[in-house]
Amino acid sequence: MKQDKHSILLESKKKIKSGSKPEIEGLVESEIKLESEDELESEDELELAESAALEFLTLSEERWKEIDLLIDEINSNKEDEEIYNVLCRSTIVLMVAHLEGYVKEAASALIDDLKYNVSFSELPTPIKKTYVSSFLNIDSQTKSDQQRIKKLMDEFEKLNAEIAVNPFLFEQNKNPSPSIVEKVMSNFGVNNFFGNIHESKLDDVFKNDLSETIKLLEELRTYTLNAVKHFPYNIDIGVFNIRERKDRIKRDHSLWVTFLDELLQKRHSIAHGSNFTNDLSDSLLSDFRNKAQILQYAIALVLFNAGLKKEKQS
Protein backbone atom coordinates (compact mmCIF):
# COMPACT_ATOMS: atom_id res chain seq x y z
CA MET A 1 0.00 0.00 0.00
CA LYS A 2 1.27 3.48 -0.88
CA GLN A 3 1.96 5.63 2.18
CA ASP A 4 0.92 9.26 2.34
CA LYS A 5 3.54 11.93 2.96
CA HIS A 6 2.57 12.52 6.56
CA SER A 7 2.96 8.82 7.41
CA ILE A 8 6.40 8.78 5.77
CA LEU A 9 7.45 11.85 7.74
CA LEU A 10 6.32 10.30 11.02
CA GLU A 11 8.20 7.07 10.27
CA SER A 12 11.38 8.92 9.31
CA LYS A 13 11.38 10.91 12.55
CA LYS A 14 11.33 7.63 14.51
CA LYS A 15 14.27 6.23 12.47
CA ILE A 16 16.31 9.40 12.95
CA LYS A 17 16.46 8.74 16.69
CA SER A 18 18.18 5.35 16.27
CA GLY A 19 19.90 5.48 12.87
CA SER A 20 23.55 5.88 11.88
CA LYS A 21 24.89 9.26 10.75
CA PRO A 22 24.66 8.59 6.96
CA GLU A 23 21.22 7.08 7.43
CA ILE A 24 20.10 10.05 9.51
CA GLU A 25 21.38 12.53 6.91
CA GLY A 26 19.46 10.72 4.19
CA LEU A 27 16.29 10.69 6.24
CA VAL A 28 16.59 14.39 7.06
CA GLU A 29 17.03 15.25 3.37
CA SER A 30 13.92 13.21 2.50
CA GLU A 31 11.95 14.91 5.27
CA ILE A 32 12.94 18.38 4.09
CA LYS A 33 11.99 17.46 0.53
CA LEU A 34 8.57 16.18 1.60
CA GLU A 35 7.88 19.25 3.73
CA SER A 36 8.91 21.51 0.85
CA GLU A 37 6.48 19.66 -1.44
CA ASP A 38 3.72 20.19 1.12
CA GLU A 39 4.47 23.91 1.22
CA LEU A 40 4.35 24.11 -2.58
CA GLU A 41 1.04 22.25 -2.64
CA SER A 42 -0.38 24.69 -0.08
CA GLU A 43 0.78 27.63 -2.19
CA ASP A 44 -0.81 26.08 -5.29
CA GLU A 45 -4.09 25.61 -3.43
CA LEU A 46 -4.06 29.28 -2.42
CA GLU A 47 -3.32 30.36 -5.98
CA LEU A 48 -6.14 28.22 -7.33
CA ALA A 49 -8.72 29.33 -4.76
CA GLU A 50 -11.92 30.35 -6.50
CA SER A 51 -12.94 33.96 -6.19
CA ALA A 52 -15.91 35.39 -4.30
CA ALA A 53 -17.00 36.81 -7.66
CA LEU A 54 -17.29 33.31 -9.14
CA GLU A 55 -19.24 32.06 -6.14
CA PHE A 56 -21.63 35.00 -6.44
CA LEU A 57 -22.16 34.52 -10.19
CA THR A 58 -22.77 30.80 -9.79
CA LEU A 59 -25.45 31.48 -7.17
CA SER A 60 -27.00 34.12 -9.41
CA GLU A 61 -27.31 31.57 -12.22
CA GLU A 62 -29.34 29.36 -9.88
CA ARG A 63 -31.71 32.21 -9.02
CA TRP A 64 -32.73 32.64 -12.64
CA LYS A 65 -34.20 29.16 -12.45
CA GLU A 66 -36.96 30.61 -10.24
CA ILE A 67 -37.91 33.04 -12.99
CA ASP A 68 -37.76 30.29 -15.62
CA LEU A 69 -40.00 28.10 -13.48
CA LEU A 70 -42.59 30.87 -13.20
CA ILE A 71 -42.52 31.50 -16.95
CA ASP A 72 -43.02 27.78 -17.57
CA GLU A 73 -46.03 27.87 -15.24
CA ILE A 74 -47.39 30.89 -17.09
CA ASN A 75 -47.15 28.99 -20.38
CA SER A 76 -48.94 26.04 -18.80
CA ASN A 77 -51.83 28.17 -17.52
CA LYS A 78 -52.75 30.24 -20.55
CA GLU A 79 -56.29 28.86 -20.42
CA ASP A 80 -56.81 29.95 -16.81
CA GLU A 81 -56.87 33.74 -17.00
CA GLU A 82 -56.85 34.32 -13.23
CA ILE A 83 -53.78 32.16 -12.56
CA TYR A 84 -52.09 33.44 -15.71
CA ASN A 85 -52.46 37.07 -14.64
CA VAL A 86 -51.29 36.42 -11.07
CA LEU A 87 -48.20 34.57 -12.28
CA CYS A 88 -47.31 37.31 -14.79
CA ARG A 89 -47.56 40.04 -12.18
CA SER A 90 -45.60 38.02 -9.61
CA THR A 91 -42.83 37.27 -12.09
CA ILE A 92 -42.08 40.91 -12.88
CA VAL A 93 -41.87 41.79 -9.16
CA LEU A 94 -39.46 38.92 -8.48
CA MET A 95 -37.37 39.81 -11.52
CA VAL A 96 -36.77 43.35 -10.25
CA ALA A 97 -36.02 42.01 -6.76
CA HIS A 98 -33.33 39.76 -8.25
CA LEU A 99 -31.82 42.72 -10.11
CA GLU A 100 -31.74 44.84 -6.95
CA GLY A 101 -30.04 42.07 -4.99
CA TYR A 102 -27.62 41.46 -7.84
CA VAL A 103 -26.13 44.94 -7.75
CA LYS A 104 -25.57 44.79 -3.99
CA GLU A 105 -24.15 41.28 -3.98
CA ALA A 106 -21.85 41.94 -6.94
CA ALA A 107 -20.36 44.88 -5.03
CA SER A 108 -20.00 42.71 -1.91
CA ALA A 109 -18.24 39.95 -3.87
CA LEU A 110 -15.74 42.43 -5.32
CA ILE A 111 -15.01 43.90 -1.89
CA ASP A 112 -14.49 40.39 -0.47
CA ASP A 113 -11.98 39.53 -3.19
CA LEU A 114 -10.13 42.79 -2.67
CA LYS A 115 -9.99 42.35 1.11
CA TYR A 116 -8.63 38.83 0.78
CA ASN A 117 -6.06 39.49 -1.94
CA VAL A 118 -4.65 43.01 -1.74
CA SER A 119 -3.55 45.55 0.85
CA PHE A 120 -5.24 48.93 1.18
CA SER A 121 -2.37 50.66 -0.64
CA GLU A 122 -2.82 48.29 -3.60
CA LEU A 123 -6.49 49.13 -4.09
CA PRO A 124 -7.54 51.12 -7.17
CA THR A 125 -7.48 54.81 -6.27
CA PRO A 126 -11.22 55.48 -6.89
CA ILE A 127 -12.12 52.67 -4.47
CA LYS A 128 -9.82 54.07 -1.82
CA LYS A 129 -11.36 57.53 -2.30
CA THR A 130 -14.92 56.28 -1.92
CA TYR A 131 -14.12 54.35 1.23
CA VAL A 132 -12.13 57.16 2.85
CA SER A 133 -14.79 59.75 1.96
CA SER A 134 -17.35 57.84 4.01
CA PHE A 135 -15.44 58.85 7.14
CA LEU A 136 -15.46 62.54 6.27
CA ASN A 137 -18.30 65.07 6.28
CA ILE A 138 -17.83 66.23 2.72
CA ASP A 139 -20.52 67.98 0.67
CA SER A 140 -18.41 69.24 -2.20
CA GLN A 141 -15.26 68.20 -4.02
CA THR A 142 -13.23 71.32 -3.28
CA LYS A 143 -9.45 71.44 -3.20
CA SER A 144 -9.65 71.36 0.60
CA ASP A 145 -11.85 68.24 0.43
CA GLN A 146 -9.35 66.52 -1.84
CA GLN A 147 -6.53 67.30 0.55
CA ARG A 148 -8.48 65.82 3.47
CA ILE A 149 -9.21 62.69 1.45
CA LYS A 150 -5.56 62.33 0.44
CA LYS A 151 -4.38 62.76 4.04
CA LEU A 152 -6.76 60.10 5.34
CA MET A 153 -5.88 57.76 2.47
CA ASP A 154 -2.23 58.01 3.48
CA GLU A 155 -3.13 57.13 7.08
CA PHE A 156 -5.27 54.18 5.98
CA GLU A 157 -2.40 52.90 3.84
CA LYS A 158 -0.07 53.00 6.84
CA LEU A 159 -2.61 51.08 8.91
CA ASN A 160 -3.46 48.74 6.02
CA ALA A 161 -7.15 49.39 6.76
CA GLU A 162 -9.73 46.79 5.77
CA ILE A 163 -12.51 48.08 3.54
CA ALA A 164 -16.22 47.29 3.92
CA VAL A 165 -18.97 47.31 1.31
CA ASN A 166 -21.54 49.68 2.85
CA PRO A 167 -19.97 52.95 1.61
CA PHE A 168 -20.28 51.67 -1.96
CA LEU A 169 -23.97 50.76 -1.88
CA PHE A 170 -27.27 52.61 -2.14
CA GLU A 171 -29.96 53.10 0.47
CA GLN A 172 -32.19 50.23 1.54
CA ASN A 173 -35.49 49.74 -0.33
CA LYS A 174 -34.20 51.53 -3.41
CA ASN A 175 -35.00 49.91 -6.74
CA PRO A 176 -32.13 49.52 -9.22
CA SER A 177 -33.00 52.54 -11.36
CA PRO A 178 -30.47 53.70 -13.97
CA SER A 179 -29.35 56.52 -11.64
CA ILE A 180 -28.84 54.08 -8.73
CA VAL A 181 -26.82 51.70 -10.92
CA GLU A 182 -24.71 54.64 -12.13
CA LYS A 183 -24.17 55.76 -8.53
CA VAL A 184 -22.90 52.36 -7.37
CA MET A 185 -20.66 52.10 -10.41
CA SER A 186 -19.23 55.58 -9.85
CA ASN A 187 -18.34 54.59 -6.28
CA PHE A 188 -15.98 52.04 -7.84
CA GLY A 189 -14.57 54.54 -10.33
CA VAL A 190 -16.84 53.70 -13.28
CA ASN A 191 -18.31 56.92 -14.62
CA ASN A 192 -20.93 56.71 -17.35
CA PHE A 193 -21.76 52.99 -17.14
CA PHE A 194 -24.74 53.14 -19.50
CA GLY A 195 -22.69 55.20 -21.92
CA ASN A 196 -19.94 52.57 -21.79
CA ILE A 197 -22.27 49.74 -22.80
CA HIS A 198 -24.06 51.87 -25.42
CA GLU A 199 -23.69 50.38 -28.92
CA SER A 200 -21.78 47.41 -27.51
CA LYS A 201 -22.29 43.82 -28.59
CA LEU A 202 -24.87 43.58 -25.80
CA ASP A 203 -27.24 45.72 -27.86
CA ASP A 204 -27.79 42.69 -30.13
CA VAL A 205 -30.53 41.57 -27.73
CA PHE A 206 -32.69 44.46 -28.98
CA LYS A 207 -32.78 42.93 -32.46
CA ASN A 208 -35.39 40.55 -30.98
CA ASP A 209 -33.79 37.52 -32.59
CA LEU A 210 -34.22 34.77 -29.99
CA SER A 211 -31.55 32.46 -31.39
CA GLU A 212 -29.01 35.31 -31.41
CA THR A 213 -30.04 36.30 -27.89
CA ILE A 214 -29.52 32.76 -26.58
CA LYS A 215 -26.13 32.66 -28.28
CA LEU A 216 -25.16 35.99 -26.70
CA LEU A 217 -26.26 34.83 -23.26
CA GLU A 218 -24.14 31.70 -23.55
CA GLU A 219 -21.11 33.71 -24.69
CA LEU A 220 -21.52 36.10 -21.76
CA ARG A 221 -22.02 33.29 -19.27
CA THR A 222 -18.97 31.31 -20.43
CA TYR A 223 -16.69 34.32 -20.71
CA THR A 224 -17.68 35.97 -17.42
CA LEU A 225 -17.46 32.82 -15.30
CA ASN A 226 -14.02 32.00 -16.72
CA ALA A 227 -12.77 35.58 -16.45
CA VAL A 228 -13.48 35.91 -12.72
CA LYS A 229 -12.66 32.36 -11.65
CA HIS A 230 -9.55 33.53 -9.77
CA PHE A 231 -8.30 36.86 -8.51
CA PRO A 232 -6.87 38.93 -10.10
CA TYR A 233 -9.61 38.59 -12.69
CA ASN A 234 -8.74 38.15 -16.35
CA ILE A 235 -11.26 40.55 -17.89
CA ASP A 236 -11.20 42.32 -21.23
CA ILE A 237 -14.45 44.30 -21.58
CA GLY A 238 -13.46 45.09 -25.15
CA VAL A 239 -14.40 41.52 -26.10
CA PHE A 240 -18.03 42.70 -26.09
CA ASN A 241 -17.18 46.16 -27.43
CA ILE A 242 -17.73 47.77 -24.04
CA ARG A 243 -15.52 50.84 -23.80
CA GLU A 244 -15.01 53.87 -21.62
CA ARG A 245 -16.78 56.96 -22.91
CA LYS A 246 -16.24 60.45 -21.55
CA ASP A 247 -19.32 61.93 -23.22
CA ARG A 248 -22.61 60.98 -21.62
CA ILE A 249 -25.42 59.99 -23.94
CA LYS A 250 -28.93 61.37 -23.61
CA ARG A 251 -31.18 59.28 -21.41
CA ASP A 252 -33.64 58.45 -24.19
CA HIS A 253 -30.80 57.45 -26.52
CA SER A 254 -29.76 54.48 -24.37
CA LEU A 255 -31.59 51.26 -25.13
CA TRP A 256 -30.55 49.90 -21.75
CA VAL A 257 -31.84 52.90 -19.78
CA THR A 258 -35.14 52.72 -21.67
CA PHE A 259 -35.42 49.00 -20.94
CA LEU A 260 -34.66 49.38 -17.24
CA ASP A 261 -37.11 52.26 -16.90
CA GLU A 262 -39.85 50.16 -18.52
CA LEU A 263 -39.08 47.15 -16.33
CA LEU A 264 -39.26 49.25 -13.15
CA GLN A 265 -42.43 51.01 -14.29
CA LYS A 266 -44.15 47.64 -14.75
CA ARG A 267 -43.02 46.56 -11.30
CA HIS A 268 -44.07 49.82 -9.61
CA SER A 269 -47.57 49.79 -11.07
CA ILE A 270 -48.11 46.33 -9.57
CA ALA A 271 -46.33 46.78 -6.24
CA HIS A 272 -48.00 50.11 -5.48
CA GLY A 273 -51.46 49.06 -6.55
CA SER A 274 -51.88 51.58 -9.36
CA ASN A 275 -52.60 48.86 -11.91
CA PHE A 276 -54.97 45.97 -11.15
CA THR A 277 -55.05 44.63 -14.68
CA ASN A 278 -52.43 42.52 -16.39
CA ASP A 279 -50.70 43.96 -19.44
CA LEU A 280 -47.92 41.37 -19.35
CA SER A 281 -47.56 38.19 -21.39
CA ASP A 282 -45.34 35.13 -21.36
CA SER A 283 -43.46 36.36 -24.45
CA LEU A 284 -42.89 39.83 -22.98
CA LEU A 285 -41.67 38.34 -19.68
CA SER A 286 -39.27 36.04 -21.54
CA ASP A 287 -37.91 39.07 -23.38
CA PHE A 288 -37.53 41.01 -20.10
CA ARG A 289 -35.85 38.00 -18.53
CA ASN A 290 -33.19 37.73 -21.25
CA LYS A 291 -32.46 41.46 -21.29
CA ALA A 292 -32.25 41.61 -17.49
CA GLN A 293 -29.74 38.76 -17.38
CA ILE A 294 -27.60 40.33 -20.10
CA LEU A 295 -27.65 43.61 -18.15
CA GLN A 296 -26.49 41.70 -15.08
CA TYR A 297 -23.52 40.28 -16.99
CA ALA A 298 -22.67 43.80 -18.16
CA ILE A 299 -22.75 45.06 -14.56
CA ALA A 300 -20.53 42.18 -13.44
CA LEU A 301 -17.93 42.61 -16.18
CA VAL A 302 -17.62 46.37 -15.81
CA LEU A 303 -17.72 46.33 -12.00
CA PHE A 304 -15.18 43.52 -11.54
CA ASN A 305 -12.94 45.12 -14.15
CA ALA A 306 -12.96 48.27 -11.98
CA GLY A 307 -11.48 46.19 -9.16
CA LEU A 308 -8.28 45.66 -11.12
CA LYS A 309 -5.68 48.32 -10.41
CA LYS A 310 -4.69 50.13 -13.57
CA GLU A 311 -1.11 51.18 -14.25
CA LYS A 312 -2.01 54.85 -14.31
CA GLN A 313 -4.52 56.34 -11.94
CA SER A 314 -5.23 59.88 -10.83
Side-chain angles (χ1 to χ4, degrees):
M1 179 183 290
K2 186 177 180 180
Q3 290 178 291
D4 61 46
K5 291 179 183 177
H6 297 291
S7 297
I8 295 172
L9 283 169
L10 183 60
E11 186 177 330
S12 68
K13 288 178 193 260
K14 292 178 181 178
K15 289 181 178 179
I16 286 172
K17 292 181 180 180
S18 58
S20 63
K21 185 176 179 180
E23 186 179 14
I24 290 173
E25 289 175 349
L27 289 167
V28 169
E29 287 179 6
S30 298
E31 185 173 336
I32 291 172
K33 182 179 179 181
L34 288 168
E35 288 178 341
S36 296
E37 289 175 359
D38 280 345
E39 289 174 2
L40 288 172
E41 285 180 0
S42 297
E43 290 174 3
D44 289 342
E45 287 173 3
L46 286 174
E47 290 176 2
L48 295 175
E50 292 184 344
S51 68
L54 179 64
E55 183 180 356
F56 151 70
L57 287 171
T58 303
L59 179 60
S60 177
E61 292 287 320
E62 291 298 313
R63 288 177 178 168
W64 275 109
K65 292 180 181 179
E66 296 178 337
I67 301 297
D68 292 336
L69 179 61
L70 282 170
I71 293 176
D72 286 343
E73 287 298 309
I74 290 169
N75 284 319
S76 300
N77 285 277
K78 288 183 177 180
E79 304 302 319
D80 191 322
E81 184 177 357
E82 184 175 357
I83 294 178
Y84 182 87
N85 291 341
V86 168
L87 288 172
C88 284
R89 290 157 63 86
S90 300
T91 301
I92 202 73
V93 172
L94 184 59
M95 200 179 296
V96 172
H98 278 347
L99 189 55
E100 177 185 349
Y102 188 93
V103 176
K104 294 178 180 178
E105 291 171 22
S108 295
L110 174 55
I111 294 297
D112 284 345
D113 278 335
L114 291 173
K115 284 195 299 186
Y116 183 79
N117 291 285
V118 302
S119 65
F120 188 87
S121 63
E122 296 172 319
L123 291 171
T125 301
I127 293 178
K128 286 191 284 190
K129 284 185 176 180
T130 296
Y131 187 66
V132 166
S133 297
S134 68
F135 292 87
L136 301 170
N137 185 21
I138 293 177
D139 295 322
S140 61
Q141 292 296 303
T142 63
K143 185 176 181 179
S144 175
D145 290 337
Q146 292 300 318
Q147 290 174 343
R148 291 172 64 194
I149 290 172
K150 179 65 169 62
K151 185 176 180 180
L152 192 54
M153 278 174 56
D154 290 343
E155 291 300 318
F156 276 31
E157 287 185 4
K158 293 176 185 176
L159 295 169
N160 192 23
E162 184 175 282
I163 58 174
V165 73
N166 285 342
F168 299 87
L169 299 179
F170 49 92
E171 298 175 21
Q172 293 292 331
N173 302 318
K174 286 279 189 179
N175 292 124
S177 66
S179 61
I180 290 293
V181 174
E182 287 281 16
K183 175 60 178 173
V184 174
M185 288 295 194
S186 68
N187 286 339
F188 287 92
V190 178
N191 297 308
N192 197 21
F193 167 71
F194 285 101
N196 293 347
I197 65 173
H198 179 62
E199 295 182 341
S200 68
K201 189 175 181 180
L202 310 184
D203 282 5
D204 287 354
V205 69
F206 295 101
K207 295 177 181 178
N208 296 319
D209 183 327
L210 184 57
S211 62
E212 287 299 312
T213 296
I214 298 302
K215 181 180 177 181
L216 175 60
L217 272 169
E218 188 54 40
E219 287 178 9
L220 281 163
R221 178 183 296 109
T222 301
Y223 181 84
T224 308
L225 291 176
N226 286 332
V228 305
K229 189 172 184 180
H230 308 297
F231 190 92
Y233 315 128
N234 185 25
I235 297 174
D236 178 8
I237 57 176
V239 169
F240 296 97
N241 201 27
I242 299 171
R243 58 195 185 278
E244 294 184 8
R245 293 171 177 262
K246 292 183 178 179
D247 298 330
R248 293 184 177 275
I249 61 173
K250 292 182 179 180
R251 186 181 182 87
D252 59 353
H253 287 185
S254 169
L255 295 172
W256 287 107
V257 169
T258 300
F259 158 69
L260 190 51
D261 281 341
E262 182 182 5
L263 182 67
L264 293 177
Q265 187 276 324
K266 298 287 187 186
R267 181 265 177 197
H268 293 339
S269 65
I270 294 170
H272 299 295
S274 58
N275 184 4
F276 295 98
T277 60
N278 176 43
D279 58 355
L280 299 165
S281 66
D282 55 295
S283 58
L284 181 59
L285 287 169
S286 294
D287 180 60
F288 279 171
R289 175 245 186 273
N290 291 334
K291 288 173 180 173
Q293 191 172 19
I294 288 173
L295 178 58
Q296 285 187 349
Y297 283 126
I299 290 171
L301 284 172
V302 175
L303 182 64
F304 294 146
N305 184 61
L308 301 173
K309 190 170 184 178
K310 307 303 186 294
E311 290 184 7
K312 294 183 180 180
Q313 293 187 18
S314 59

